[in-house]
Amino acid sequence: MSTPTPRTTDAFGPASPVLSVAPVTLPAPDRAVDLQIRVSVPLTALTALTGEGRLPVILLSHGQGFSNNLSSLNGYAPLVSFWAAHGFAVIQPTHLSSTTLKLPADTPGAPMHWRSRAEDISRLIDRLDEIEAAVPGLAGRLDRDRIAVAGHSMGGHTAGLLLGARLTDPDGGTEVDLADSRIGAGVLLAGPGRGGDALVPAMAEMLPFLTTADFSRMTTPTLVVNGEKDGSTHLTVRGPAWHTDPYTLSPGPKTLLTLFDAEHGLGGISGYDVAETTDESPARVAALARLSWAYLRSRLYADDAAWQAAREALASGPDAFGRVESKEG
């Protein structure tokens, strides 16, 4: 299915119509089901790029939530539409934890399939040739040297593992390293923090992989986004500060964006008009889309000033949507 979006222009440059193709199915005999993805790209790029031009790639890992379909390749349209309209190819997998798959409760890795989720993202990088071939006009267009990962909530946990965070496998007791060196930058959106006494005891028992989170070797440049009012009381006893752990407990270069008044949905990033969003704010979502896009642009392209411009426009002054702090080295 291909869905174009209207062409617009904003302060962050001209926006292209977006071509979105789904489902694209990648055979995966070693997985409970084949891997289905959505690919969204700027439509103008398919005809405007020369042999020397390539699209940077964002691999987006979905969260969980209560909706039947948003935790799949069908979610996060407010972010995906902006990122793709402004020059990224966005690839969204449906992880095994998605409610759309309705896998049996005794499927290995259930309920969160934390290892498989990270392996899905690396699998996508391995198979970019197949993904290009599945989208008309995309062959040869994806930039293998400019790949980013982003994830919301449980997807933030997935992205963190790919960026260098580690944990101890609760089944085997071994340290797990799923970092992928092909990923050059990341965005963690309301991702989980440290384990131990930071977790609600019942959740530590239900999801033991969260208890041993280690961010000390998460060295890839990352934008950590947390909501100022994201208490996540079903998960943590620490309140909103818990979601800043991937920033405070990891080495630089890292940037922390705290969104004012935002809760776990960060204004409604998982979909348009989502009933489960507790802090609906289209303006906040638009600001986050621009800030995250700009961060990745400036990290993947050394001479790109998009991040500085976005910070000045959206994260400073009396009308700021949030505050930013950074650390290097």
Side-chain angles (χ1 to χ4, degrees), residues 1-18:
M1 178 180 70
S2 300
T3 306
T5 58
R7 183 177 180 83
T8 60
T9 302
D10 60 31
F12 293 84
S16 168
V18 173

Side-chain angles (χ1 to χ4, degrees), residues 114-115 161 165-169 174-178:
W114 59 267
R115 184 190 293 270
L161 291 176
R166 299 189 184 185
L167 56 77
T168 299
D169 188 336
T174 58
E175 185 180 62
V176 178
D177 178 7
L178 295 172

Side-chain angles (χ1 to χ4, degrees), residues 25 27 48 51 60 66 69 112 117 135 138 145 152 163 178 200 239 242 245 271 280 284 297 301 322:
T25 301
L60 176 59
F66 304 109
N69 287 285
M112 290 293 106
R117 280 171 146 271
V135 179
L138 190 60
D145 295 322
H152 176 232
L163 295 165
L178 295 172
V200 172
W242 187 59
D245 285 348
E280 185 174 26
R284 182 182 300 128
R297 283 286 313 182
Y301 296 87

Side-chain angles (χ1 to χ4, degrees), residues 77-108:
L79 296 182
V80 174
S81 296
F82 184 88
W83 292 342
H86 291 79
F88 279 93
V90 185
I91 305 174
Q92 300 172 256
T94 293
H95 296 302
L96 293 179
S97 60
S98 174
T99 55
T100 63
L101 299 178
K102 296 180 173 58
L103 295 178
D106 60 355
T107 302

